[in-house]
Amino acid sequence: MARHPQPRRITLGGREAVALTVEEYEQLIASRRQIGGQSARVRVLAHEAKRTEQLLHDLESLIGPTDHGPHEPDTTCLRCEIAALVRRHRAPASS
């Protein structure tokens, strides 16, 4: 494993600080911008996931129970097929 570089420590006005070259500082700022953009995308994705979960919940509520008697087989019941689809999408992904 590669060792992490040790920062150059200096003391300014009695306070410890880290000295960066201009290039290191620019890389730090660029990294912060990238992380900021990524965190914004993660927030959007999390919001979309919550909306999707709510949609699945609402669909389940509309479908209602799918317990039918022998007069209506599950293979021809659209409500049953939609309920099964919702359950498959709601189940946690297998790794």
Side-chain angles (χ1 to χ4, degrees), residues 20-41:
L20 300 175
T21 65
V22 172
E23 182 180 294
E24 289 169 333
Y25 179 77
E26 288 171 354
Q27 288 174 351
L28 178 63
I29 295 300
S31 293
R32 289 187 69 188
R33 281 191 202 110
Q34 287 175 346
I35 290 170
Q38 289 171 353
S39 67
R41 284 189 291 279

Side-chain angles (χ1 to χ4, degrees), residues 2 8 12 15 17-18 29 40 46 50 54 60-61 65 75 81 94:
R8 292 176 298 284
L12 292 172
R15 295 182 67 186
V18 176
I29 295 300
K50 285 179 186 174
Q54 184 62 47
E60 276 183 328
S61 298
T75 56
E81 293 297 317
S94 301

